[in-house]
Amino acid sequence: MTTSIKYEVEQLYHYTSLNTLHAILQNKTIRLTDYRFLNDMQELFFATEKLKKYIQGNPTINEREELLTAVQNIESGKISKFKSVGYSGDKILVSPLLSDTNYYVLSLSNARDNIAMWKMYAPEGCCMKFNSQKLFEFFYSFRDEHLPQGLTNIIRGQVHYGDDQQMPHMVNFMSSDFNKLMIYYNILQYCLLQKDKAFAYEQEYRIALPFESEYLDDSCSREFIISETLIKPQIEFKNFPISEILEEVIISPFVKSELTHMGVQELLKANGISPDIVLKSNILIR
């Protein structure tokens, strides 16, 4: 794992079930979900529909048709990337390619011990705090190891809620000659970091990695999770250094049993992690 880059410090929390906490600790894995299969398809369409409406209403925009085609391709899971086609000395030769490369997303939050988040995502679960430096190192190390299979960038950042002010600047940036080859990346980055203002309480932070079948090896696998009538494609990353990344585990305020607190402590101890990082929520529930 590379340590040469110092990333900005983020307060990153993951609200989840006790089953997921157990799986991450026991298996040393973490899963990301296909960007088209997040909690609601409207999450993606909220941004793409706004983007298409703006582009269609401004006929003077450079590369207008190319932008619209790219947005439509992203909605259906087609993403242009740079594909390795060989080497020249120690340099990788690349060529743009429209492929079925999909981004897989890890949804986090900047909100610690938040009642709305507890109710929505982990009423009987927990909230894990991740060390942002170690987490970013893990994902960028994976990206670097797979550069020969395709040079598509990681997307990460705080989600913006109902903010249209960026639209003109972003569209001009996307359609400039300098950035034309990165249109798909720029559009997807914009769309993944935009949500309706009704969800502002989430204070969401997203990390998204590109993935295709060529990446499958001992470090990752394609998995599926069934949630009621929905089957969600996921990528499971192996050898996840959870003992280095996990800084805090907060038990939901809706969980009253002391045995839950003790059980999580024992789970952490069994995986070489200090039980002292297990805390109870400070939120009072009547």
Side-chain angles (χ1 to χ4, degrees):
M1 181 182 295
T2 180
T3 57
S4 59
I5 298 175
K6 183 69 175 177
Y7 299 99
E8 69 279 12
V9 176
E10 296 282 353
Q11 301 300 312
L12 300 180
Y13 300 92
H14 187 47
Y15 289 80
T16 191
S17 67
L18 294 177
N19 281 335
T20 298
L21 171 68
H22 176 263
I24 292 174
L25 288 167
Q26 292 290 89
N27 301 325
K28 306 296 186 293
T29 60
I30 193 164
R31 289 188 176 188
L32 278 63
T33 301
D34 188 314
Y35 76 93
R36 300 166 299 163
F37 290 82
L38 297 174
N39 293 325
D40 187 338
M41 276 298 290
Q42 293 306 312
E43 286 195 19
L44 178 63
F45 292 149
F46 171 76
T48 58
E49 289 302 314
K50 286 201 309 178
L51 197 52
K52 286 190 290 189
K53 183 177 179 179
Y54 179 81
I55 296 170
Q56 289 167 344
N58 290 271
T60 60
I61 293 173
N62 292 333
E63 308 297 339
R64 184 165 168 266
E65 293 304 318
E66 188 173 351
L67 284 168
L68 287 171
T69 299
V71 175
Q72 292 163 355
N73 282 333
I74 283 172
E75 288 178 334
S76 61
K78 298 281 188 182
I79 296 177
S80 176
K81 59 177 286 187
F82 292 114
K83 186 74 173 178
S84 173
V85 293
Y87 289 86
S88 177
D90 59 352
K91 295 181 179 179
I92 300 175
L93 301 178
V94 298
S95 175
L97 175 72
L98 187 65
S99 69
D100 287 321
T101 302
N102 287 332
Y103 269 78
Y104 287 75
V105 179
L106 175 64
S107 292
L108 304 166
S109 174
N110 292 137
R112 181 186 186 276
D113 199 11
N114 181 284
I115 185 64
M117 293 295 287
W118 285 124
K119 287 181 176 180
M120 185 65 68
Y121 297 109
E124 297 180 348
C126 65
C127 172
M128 296 184 284
K129 181 183 180 183
F130 291 151
N131 180 296
S132 59
Q133 174 69 26
K134 297 293 186 181
L135 187 67
F136 295 156
E137 285 177 3
F138 174 78
F139 286 124
Y140 278 102
S141 176
F142 177 88
R143 189 277 309 269
D144 292 346
E145 290 171 3
H146 292 82
L147 284 180
Q149 284 94 0
L151 307 178
T152 309
N153 292 337
I154 290 176
I155 292 172
R156 65 180 177 89
Q158 295 173 332
V159 172
H160 303 279
Y161 297 92
D163 183 8
D164 286 319
Q165 297 180 2
Q166 299 181 59
M167 186 79 73
H169 170 72
M170 284 302 301
V171 171
N172 288 333
F173 177 79
M174 293 171 191
S175 58
S176 66
D177 288 338
F178 180 76
N179 293 290
K180 207 179 324 184
L181 289 176
M182 298 295 288
I183 281 178
Y184 280 78
Y185 168 77
N186 291 326
I187 291 175
L188 190 58
Q189 177 176 243
Y190 176 80
C191 292
L192 287 181
L193 301 182
Q194 289 285 333
K195 291 179 72 170
D196 191 290
K197 61 183 178 182
F199 300 104
Y201 67 87
E202 294 177 342
Q203 299 179 50
E204 188 171 359
Y205 188 103
R206 285 178 168 173
I207 303 174
L209 274 72
F211 200 90
E212 61 177 281
S213 58
E214 290 183 43
Y215 298 177
L216 295 170
D217 55 25
D218 292 340
S219 67
C220 55
S221 63
R222 180 177 286 114
E223 307 291 343
F224 294 88
I225 185 172
I226 301 176
S227 176
E228 297 179 347
T229 61
L230 181 64
I231 300 177
K232 294 184 178 183
Q234 296 186 324
I235 294 299
E236 184 173 272
F237 292 88
K238 316 291 186 182
N239 304 314
F240 185 63
I242 186 62
S243 61
E244 299 176 22
I245 290 174
L246 187 63
E247 294 188 330
E248 194 173 71
V249 179
I250 306 172
I251 305 298
S252 168
F254 296 100
V255 175
K256 299 300 183 181
S257 175
E258 288 292 331
L259 291 178
T260 300
H261 186 271
M262 292 171 55
V264 173
Q265 287 183 314
E266 291 300 316
L267 177 62
L268 263 61
K269 282 197 293 185
N271 287 276
I273 302 173
S274 171
D276 297 337
I277 69 171
V278 182
L279 307 173
K280 297 178 183 178
S281 168
N282 290 322
I283 296 172
L284 297 178
I285 302 296
R286 293 187 183 278

